[in-house]
Amino acid sequence: MKLSDLISYDPIIIQCHDNPDADTLASGYALYTYFTQLGKAVRLIYCGRNMIHKSNLCLMLEHLKIPIEYIERADDLVKDMPQGKVEGLLLTVDCQYGAGNVTRIPAENVAIIDHHQVEIRNVELSEINPGLGSCSTLVWKMLREAGFEIQDTKLGTALYYGLYTDTNQFAEIFNPLDMDMREALPCEKTLVQLFRNSNLSLGELEIAGIALIRHIYNDDYHYAIIKSQPCDPNILGLISDFLLQVAEIYTCVVYNEWKDGYKFSVRSCIKEVQANELAAFLAEGIGSGGGHHEKAGGFISKTLYEDAYPTLHSEAFFSERLNDYFDNSQIIVAGEYDIDITNMKSYVKKKMPLGFVKATDVLPVGTPITIRTLEGDVDMVVEPDLIIMIGIKGEVYPNRLEKFEKTYELTDEPYNMSDYLIKTEYQPTIHNRANGSVLHVADHAKICIASGGTHIHAEELTNRVKVFTAWDNEKYMLGKPGDYLAVRCDDRHDIYVVERDIFFKTYECMEAHAAAE
């Protein structure tokens, strides 16, 4: 769905979820501003048993002039409407019409904009993207696509704070679009600081203290689990940060239960466990999770959880998932690993166009850069032999000139990502950390084609594998069952993981290749 699909409706009521947080307020405010500037009759509302009372949200409404109305009961809104229902359009933001966290209001037409897992499937006008850290980001993306650039500082501050709170002060940010919005918005940082410093109540301080008293600890894997009372998601992060300071705890999960699911926070202080990867593992199939290597979090839909685990209470679920995670994860340090290729088959790369950028063609040697992709940020420094490769899904990975020239035939033909890529949600960018400039990788890429000069040995994985590659000993590549573990034939320590769908699109068995020749 696009915003252009909604502009035929008038009037429009934008509904935030009950007990609003900063993200739903910011998202609703941005859409209110957009439709108002189009000349629509717009109202921004929320319902439920409780009016907004948290200090940070009250300050947000006051300083950013957000014109939201409190409607205690749905009947109060529609009692004077001719058909007893909302005329025009009812648009729910950061929630899904008919879900448990938003009061259902009768309406002629309904639309949904949300970033949680899909719960409601019978609303045609829906834009739901659970891969984003906030609904604010989704609204920002849709506004940009509609040609609406955000220049108002108050609106920019609202969206910035919406993302800030929904990602635990950016600790759980993981989608490149979230990062792009954070950097692009005009924002009054002093107001964000004011809101942040008014975020914790005395009651929530007590909740944090009580939660720390009761915990589950596993001394085999040095992890801890805490179930907290319902509280602001940022309090979960506060408890997690404190918990990780205990010498015996390397990894922790702190969570609480809401009406519509479980919000959880993950922390790790060891490189063998990336918090963002663990968060995604915990929520796999029933929610969403991500963040940074050290700090992450996520949300589990209660509906999906109860369908998948109807008899398992939440503490047992987190314990079982964590034990499964540690029991069935193999760690490979490529520089030290003596790989056995006895049962591996030999493969050669297909002669298909790939993209490459010589780093020194776009930036001087020594420039600190961050390459932003859908898989996350990769920090590098431009070196004379650094080659930036573009895979068939838009994934980006480093190569060295010597190995690159052995494997690929270089051309001067420009590489057009739209011609060669599988559909991707995000095109990778290079961020110059020295001056803040941003380059699109594809704008500078050229085509290379596998020469067949080298081949690999590979085997299908039957368990989870974490590979610390020869070029990065701090962050691992994750391989899941069905993916492939590969090693170059001319370098037994050049070990890496290839996702299953990418593997069969880019490699072919040498026997088949020889027969075709």
Side-chain angles (χ1 to χ4, degrees):
M1 181 186 75
K2 298 182 183 299
L3 290 179
S4 58
D5 298 327
L6 307 180
I7 59 177
S8 61
Y9 296 98
D10 197 9
I12 297 174
I13 290 181
I14 301 167
Q15 183 183 8
C16 300
H17 57 69
D18 299 356
N19 298 312
D21 58 14
D23 188 33
T24 192
L25 293 173
S27 302
Y29 178 39
L31 291 166
Y32 174 92
T33 302
Y34 172 73
F35 288 118
T36 299
Q37 290 191 11
L38 290 178
K40 306 294 181 183
V42 191
R43 294 174 69 183
L44 178 62
I45 70 165
Y46 72 99
C47 302
R49 296 174 58 186
N50 302 311
M51 293 183 66
I52 295 170
H53 66 277
K54 283 200 66 177
S55 298
N56 64 319
L57 298 181
C58 291
L59 287 169
M60 180 183 179
L61 297 182
E62 176 188 351
H63 284 273
L64 302 181
K65 310 297 183 187
I66 298 177
I68 194 162
E69 305 172 48
Y70 173 58
I71 308 294
E72 186 174 358
R73 298 179 305 167
D75 290 346
D76 295 337
L77 181 69
V78 300
K79 63 183 179 182
D80 296 326
M81 296 181 180
Q83 299 180 22
K85 60 176 63 176
V86 169
E87 299 174 305
L89 178 70
L90 177 70
L91 170 59
T92 65
V93 291
D94 199 33
C95 54
Q96 297 170 38
Y97 183 80
N101 67 336
V102 58
T103 298
R104 186 184 183 97
I105 299 174
E108 287 181 346
N109 302 287
V110 174
I112 294 171
I113 297 177
D114 190 23
H115 74 118
H116 296 100
Q117 287 291 317
V118 177
E119 293 185 66
I120 306 300
R121 301 180 183 276
N122 59 351
V123 176
E124 183 177 350
L125 290 172
S126 294
E127 182 66 20
I128 302 174
N129 188 337
L132 296 173
S134 73
C135 191
S136 295
T137 307
L138 179 56
V139 170
W140 173 75
K141 173 178 177 288
M142 296 177 76
L143 288 172
R144 281 202 314 169
E145 291 171 348
F148 183 87
E149 292 297 330
I150 295 173
Q151 299 176 339
D152 178 66
T153 303
K154 285 185 168 54
L155 179 54
T157 302
L159 292 171
Y160 183 96
Y161 190 59
L163 175 64
Y164 179 86
T165 55
D166 244 38
T167 58
N168 190 14
Q169 301 181 16
F170 300 141
E172 298 166 12
I173 197 169
F174 57 94
N175 191 293
L177 283 172
D178 295 320
M179 302 174 197
D180 286 352
M181 183 184 79
R182 177 183 60 182
E183 295 167 6
L185 287 172
C187 175
E188 291 186 53
K189 299 294 178 62
T190 54
L191 282 181
V192 173
Q193 185 176 0
L194 173 66
F195 303 158
R196 181 191 66 198
N197 292 337
S198 305
N199 193 41
L200 181 63
S201 68
L202 287 173
E204 288 169 330
L205 181 63
E206 184 177 349
I207 287 173
I210 294 171
L212 286 165
I213 296 172
R214 298 178 60 250
H215 66 272
I216 298 170
Y217 175 67
N218 182 296
D219 57 3
D220 289 328
Y221 296 123
H222 297 279
Y223 71 71
I225 302 170
I226 284 181
K227 182 180 181 180
S228 166
Q229 298 175 44
C231 59
D232 190 285
N234 291 322
I235 309 305
L236 300 181
L238 183 151
I239 299 170
S240 300
D241 289 338
F242 189 86
L243 193 59
L244 207 62
Q245 295 183 50
V246 177
E248 292 85 358
I249 296 175
Y250 302 160
T251 308
C252 66
V253 177
V254 180
Y255 75 99
N256 60 15
E257 183 174 354
W258 291 84
K259 187 176 181 180
D260 56 338
Y262 301 95
K263 177 70 179 175
F264 64 91
S265 178
V266 178
R267 297 291 184 269
S268 173
C269 63
I270 54 174
K271 69 178 184 179
E272 291 80 10
V273 178
Q274 294 175 4
N276 57 331
E277 184 255 318
L278 175 56
F281 175 84
L282 292 172
E284 188 173 8
I286 53 174
S288 60
H292 292 296
H293 298 301
E294 297 178 3
K295 298 183 178 185
F299 181 80
I300 292 172
S301 162
K302 182 166 285 188
T303 301
L304 298 176
Y305 174 84
E306 290 175 347
D307 288 344
Y309 305 96
T311 62
L312 199 63
H313 65 80
S314 58
E315 288 179 321
F317 164 78
F318 281 106
S319 292
E320 289 188 12
R321 288 295 283 168
L322 282 165
N323 287 335
D324 180 26
Y325 178 84
F326 286 105
D327 286 343
N328 297 297
S329 294
Q330 178 189 4
I331 295 175
I332 294 175
V333 179
E336 304 170 2
Y337 190 66
D338 184 16
I339 193 165
D340 182 4
I341 64 170
T342 305
N343 296 318
M344 288 183 160
K345 293 183 178 180
S346 296
Y347 295 86
V348 65
K349 266 200 170 180
K350 295 179 180 179
K351 291 193 173 185
M352 59 186 301
L354 294 176
F356 79 96
V357 176
K358 287 184 178 179
T360 53
D361 285 350
V362 294
L363 291 167
V365 171
T367 304
I369 60 173
T370 296
I371 300 179
R372 180 161 296 165
T373 73
L374 194 59
E375 291 75 29
D377 282 4
V378 181
D379 293 336
M380 301 179 186
V381 173
V382 175
E383 298 177 355
D385 64 342
L386 177 62
I387 303 294
I388 300 170
M389 302 289 299
I390 305 173
I392 62 172
K393 289 178 68 177
E395 73 278 12
V396 170
Y397 52 94
N399 205 335
R400 295 297 174 185
L401 185 61
E402 183 180 355
K403 286 186 177 180
F404 176 69
E405 291 179 335
K406 287 181 180 178
T407 310
Y408 298 96
E409 297 173 1
L410 286 64
T411 79
D412 287 323
E413 186 177 345
Y415 178 80
N416 188 337
M417 293 185 77
S418 61
D419 290 341
Y420 303 113
L421 286 188
I422 298 172
K423 185 178 179 181
T424 181
E425 295 180 30
Y426 186 84
Q427 293 197 0
T429 52
I430 301 174
H431 294 245
N432 182 337
R433 298 202 305 275
N435 62 18
S437 62
V438 179
L439 303 172
H440 287 272
V441 176
D443 291 345
H444 304 275
K446 297 179 181 179
I447 291 175
C448 63
I449 299 174
S451 62
T454 60
H455 64 274
I456 64 167
H457 306 290
E459 64 180 351
E460 184 176 349
L461 292 172
T462 57
N463 62 315
R464 293 170 64 85
V465 172
K466 302 174 182 182
V467 178
F468 289 94
T469 63
W471 61 82
D472 190 345
N473 197 39
E474 292 299 318
K475 299 175 185 175
Y476 54 79
M477 295 182 73
L478 177 67
K480 300 179 182 179
D483 294 339
Y484 276 74
L485 183 68
V487 56
R488 282 177 65 106
C489 66
D490 58 349
D491 185 351
R492 293 291 179 87
H493 292 298
D494 192 351
I495 305 168
Y496 52 96
V497 172
V498 185
E499 291 181 23
R500 182 179 183 85
D501 58 341
I502 295 177
F503 186 83
F504 287 108
K505 287 181 172 66
T506 55
Y507 290 95
E508 61 182 338
C509 184
M510 285 195 70
E511 294 178 2
H513 175 73
E517 292 288 319

